[in-house]
Amino acid sequence: MTETSYLVSVRTSYDTVAVDYARLLTGELERKPLERAMLAAFAECVRGEEGGSAGRPVADLGCGPGRVTAHLEGLGVRAFGVDLSPAMVAVARRTYPGLRFEVGSMAALDIADGVLGGVLAWYSTVHTPLPGLPAVFAEFARVLAPGGHVLIAFKAGDERVRLEHAYGHPVELDVYWTPPDRMAALLSDAGLTEVARLIREPDALERCPQGFLLARKAPEGGVGGP
């Protein structure tokens, strides 16, 4: 399958910055209590869910150097990572040799239908143009077991920002800010019903509010939601 140009640009850019990205973001979650709270809630939902998804693995899609994958593992879920960038996956494997990391695209996952208890996309959809999100979210829904949860972290807004330099390197990346209601609607269209959302105001290093949206695939014979 021929890849669109944005995927090639994303892979190339993150291959370039992988080592410095991992170094610069070390310990970031320790400074962000609201992010940790959303991850903890997600992990608890996955661990305690009835209807077939409890105890199933969680995929951290767009895992980068694996720091959030490892955080999830520490919260008591069986987590593994998938990333488009081979260099990012190599860093993750070196840093967390006890965890599994694979190269892959979240738009075409090498994962069987209905096997995951949870899907995490921690800012990993921000480089996907809006028209590409329905296919990505359809993949999330496909691989989730009935009753499984998805947590999306994203830039909350309505703008496209072009990055030409990041983490000390030249890059070619578009970052898409997405309105929270639009993100929830796209997830709903894929069969993933909103459970909760958090919108955090930007800190000193951020340009826009940060969004976190928790959604659920309907349990077997039921409807989405808690």
Side-chain angles (χ1 to χ4, degrees):
M1 181 176 64
T2 301
E3 291 185 287
T4 58
S5 58
Y6 88 88
L7 287 179
V8 174
S9 177
V10 169
R11 178 191 288 114
T12 300
S13 294
Y14 279 101
D15 278 347
T16 300
V17 305
V19 172
D20 287 317
Y21 179 100
R23 176 178 57 83
L24 291 169
L25 269 65
T26 298
E28 184 196 35
L29 278 177
E30 297 172 8
R31 303 186 294 273
K32 296 189 172 180
L34 294 177
E35 277 83 339
R36 296 199 310 274
M38 287 301 293
L39 288 166
F42 169 67
E44 186 170 343
C45 286
V46 171
R47 292 196 314 267
E49 187 55 67
E50 298 178 359
S53 70
R56 292 177 179 267
V58 170
D60 179 7
L61 302 179
C63 65
R67 63 194 179 89
V68 184
T69 320
H71 186 78
L72 285 177
E73 187 80 12
L75 292 173
V77 299
R78 292 191 294 128
F80 69 97
V82 179
D83 200 273
L84 188 67
S85 162
M88 282 289 193
V89 169
V91 171
R93 287 172 175 169
R94 288 196 303 269
T95 308
Y96 307 103
L99 299 180
R100 176 163 63 97
F101 297 97
E102 302 171 356
V103 177
S105 169
M106 69 178 68
L109 294 165
D110 187 19
I111 300 173
D113 295 356
V115 300
L116 298 181
V119 165
L120 177 69
W122 198 253
Y123 293 105
S124 53
T125 64
V126 299
H127 303 302
T128 302
L130 193 63
L133 287 178
V136 170
F137 292 160
E139 273 292 89
F140 292 2
R142 179 185 68 79
V143 298
L144 276 175
H149 285 79
V150 57
L151 176 61
I152 310 286
F154 60 99
K155 304 290 186 181
D158 193 3
E159 189 173 337
R160 184 184 73 174
V161 176
R162 181 68 170 178
L163 295 182
E164 296 182 344
H165 193 272
Y167 309 105
H169 299 272
V171 297
E172 294 182 7
L173 289 171
D174 287 324
V175 178
Y176 295 90
W177 304 359
T178 307
D181 286 344
R182 180 60 173 153
M183 186 70 80
L186 289 168
L187 287 166
S188 179
D189 289 345
L192 302 166
T193 302
E194 179 179 355
V195 174
R197 73 172 74 177
L198 169 68
I199 308 301
R200 176 177 64 70
E201 290 303 307
D203 65 24
L205 300 177
E206 296 165 342
R207 297 178 55 185
C208 68
Q210 308 298 297
F212 308 89
L213 204 153
L214 180 67
R216 186 191 186 203
K217 183 175 178 177
E220 204 75 62
V223 295

